Amino acid sequence: MLHTTVVDTRRLPTADRFDMWLETVSGSSAKLRIRTEHSADFTARAVFTDLGPIRLARHDYPSLTATSPGRPVDRRDRGSYQLGLTVRGGSRCRQEGRDSHFTPGDFTFYDSARPHHLDHHSGAGGHASSVVVIVPHTVVPLPPRRLSTLLAARMPGTEGVGRLLAQFLVEVTDHPEHYHAADASRLGTIGLDLITTLLGRHLVAEEEVPAEVRRRALFSEVQAYVRRHLGDTTLGPQVIADAHHVSLRSLHRLFEAEQTTVAAYVRDLRLQRCRRDLADPALRGRSIGSVAARWGFASPAHFSRVFRAAHDTTPQEWRSRHLDQSRIDKTAASTVKRSPAD
């Protein structure tokens, strides 16, 4: 599991909760002056996850305002950018003369080393929620002068690379248990690539994003697209290329760099989903043909040929073997549970 640090004010006496939150926030970003009508009983939660070059912070808190005078940077602390995704409630950011409002699904970008003002308003359930990515200035491969034009700007997280980044941030912060600690650095690289690409596109300066960063971000977009459309029997290289506005040749080169092909990637992902369904006792009543169709195989006969070529067994034999094993495991667990009373 990824290493996380959890701060939950509900674990403390009511009178100590707001002071704890002030200390937590001061340790994770620039010095902030925070005001709230809920200081008498400030119930809030923060989860911090370190991912190599970046840090994620998932916040849930009552309405508040935060103002920072900025701070000088030095050789030891070169400062950081922060990219915030509003998850619940509403937000507002003011910096460098720009004043923008945000609703769930919007990103905002600001420099924690410069003066700024933030407002967060509670949503359903009485709390605001956001995911903030803390990105050191030194790891963003874009000119600081150009990035200044994006400070306090609104960037949608509901389309294109913004949507992919939003899904990535919510998934990682909601379910750190889905990943191994060894995955942290690689996940950080993926996150930074997506952030850099998002900023580059809003600068209309994508050519300034390093080519390898663009390639990795595009590959992540293609992977997400394939997962969303896996059940579509028409899904193939040309459809994928058209959806991402690249040539078929460029798409094939993208997959060559990953030491696979487009067709092999789609096929292997479909087989993976079929294996999972065939081994699921809850789906034992579903025909093999319907399982195959669910994941984009055009016919049961075609699916059977592809499955046998990949696994040297038939789908029915695979299903029987794994369902039998599931029954054995369930019986064994039941026996162990009953044995103390024997």
Side-chain angles (χ1 to χ4, degrees):
M1 175 177 167
L2 295 174
H3 175 70
T4 60
T5 302
V6 179
V7 176
D8 192 334
T9 65
R10 292 170 298 183
R11 299 173 181 174
L12 294 179
T14 302
D16 297 335
R17 291 174 177 176
F18 188 55
D19 287 341
M20 180 190 188
W21 187 259
L22 291 177
E23 182 178 347
T24 298
V25 172
S26 296
S28 65
S29 60
K31 288 287 185 181
L32 295 174
R33 292 194 297 269
I34 297 179
R35 296 180 177 85
T36 179
E37 297 178 355
H38 306 276
S39 58
D41 183 10
F42 196 79
T43 57
R45 188 173 189 267
V47 181
F48 299 95
T49 308
D50 290 311
L51 298 180
I54 64 177
R55 192 181 203 207
L56 309 186
R58 177 66 182 258
H59 293 143
D60 292 276
Y61 39 69
S63 298
L64 57 82
T65 64
T67 302
S68 171
R71 62 181 180 183
V73 297
D74 55 36
R75 291 182 179 179
R76 291 178 296 106
D77 178 10
R78 300 297 299 275
S80 63
Y81 297 112
Q82 299 204 19
L83 183 73
L85 171 68
T86 300
V87 177
R88 186 172 61 247
S91 304
R92 179 184 181 186
C93 181
R94 298 202 303 266
Q95 189 168 60
E96 298 294 308
R98 184 179 285 111
D99 188 344
S100 301
H101 294 260
F102 312 92
T103 57
D106 290 339
F107 283 105
T108 186
F109 177 72
Y110 58 98
D111 187 341
S112 64
R114 305 189 193 193
H116 58 277
H117 177 87
L118 303 169
D119 288 314
H120 298 286
H121 305 291
S122 300
H127 277 67
S129 181
S130 64
V131 180
V132 177
V133 191
I134 302 166
V135 189
H137 287 170
T138 53
V139 305
V140 181
L142 292 170
R145 177 181 57 82
R146 299 292 305 278
L147 287 174
S148 294
T149 64
L150 291 181
L151 297 178
R154 173 187 172 273
M155 292 176 278
T158 54
E159 57 189 31
V161 72
R163 175 182 177 181
L164 183 58
L165 176 59
Q167 292 172 338
F168 171 84
L169 296 177
V170 172
E171 164 64 20
V172 172
T173 54
D174 276 358
H175 300 289
E177 72 279 4
H178 289 177
Y179 306 93
H180 298 292
D183 297 330
S185 181
R186 176 58 179 156
L187 289 171
T189 299
I190 292 172
L192 182 58
D193 287 345
L194 294 174
I195 292 166
T196 302
T197 303
L198 176 68
L199 297 176
R201 290 185 180 177
H202 282 274
L203 285 172
V204 194
E206 202 169 352
E207 70 280 358
E208 295 185 7
V209 178
E212 179 59 17
V213 171
R214 294 200 304 271
R215 188 197 70 77
R216 291 196 302 255
L218 176 59
F219 188 69
S220 293
E221 286 188 76
V222 169
Q223 286 179 302
Y225 179 86
V226 170
R227 288 194 294 270
R228 290 196 306 271
H229 296 86
L230 204 56
D232 185 350
T233 57
T234 66
L235 183 69
Q238 189 64 62
V239 170
I240 297 169
D242 291 345
H244 293 85
H245 310 292
V246 298
S247 69
L248 189 58
R249 183 177 180 182
S250 295
L251 182 69
H252 284 308
R253 283 202 303 266
L254 181 69
F255 276 80
E256 285 172 5
E258 302 294 329
Q259 299 184 334
T260 188
T261 65
V262 187
Y265 178 77
V266 173
R267 180 200 64 218
D268 291 348
L269 195 55
R270 282 174 167 162
L271 285 172
Q272 179 189 94
R273 300 296 171 83
C274 288
R275 292 196 306 270
R276 183 191 66 189
D277 283 4
L278 291 172
D280 187 348
L283 300 178
R284 68 172 68 247
R286 180 171 293 181
S287 71
I288 290 175
S290 66
V291 169
R294 179 187 183 190
W295 297 115
F297 285 99
S299 71
H302 173 63
F303 170 59
S304 184
R305 287 195 300 271
V306 172
F307 194 96
R308 190 178 190 103
H311 304 298
D312 197 30
T313 188
T314 68
Q316 183 59 58
E317 290 168 346
W318 172 278
R319 167 177 264 181
S320 297
R321 183 166 66 249
H322 284 79
L323 290 182
D324 287 345
Q325 185 60 50
S326 176
R327 282 194 294 269
I328 292 170
D329 292 343
K330 186 176 180 179
T331 300
S334 177
T335 302
V336 169
K337 188 178 293 186
R338 290 196 308 267
S339 61
D342 292 343

